[in-house]
Amino acid sequence: MRTRITNTTLDLLDAPPSGGPVTLDEIAACAGITCGHLRAYYGSVEAIIADLSPVSTPAARNREC
């Protein structure tokens, strides 16, 4: 489910809808899930974006500079 949410968020951030920043409601609708279901995984758009960060992936954390 997280993959569906993060992929949908990436799609929306790449081509944001008109009318302002992307919302949890828009992400849920585009992912085909309820907003309540989305909130069970993420409490904010910022939390999803943080999960998208390369630093937050296990491979990136284990990589040496």
Side-chain angles (χ1 to χ4, degrees), residues 5-32:
I5 295 167
T6 55
N7 287 344
T8 300
T9 303
L10 281 173
D11 291 344
L12 288 170
L13 291 174
D14 286 342
S18 60
V22 175
T23 66
L24 287 178
D25 290 336
E26 290 170 326
I27 295 168
C30 291

Side-chain angles (χ1 to χ4, degrees), residues 3 7 9 23-24 31 35-36 38 40-41 50 55-57:
T3 301
N7 287 344
T9 303
T23 66
L24 287 178
C35 196
L38 173 63
Y41 290 90
V55 176
S56 69
T57 63

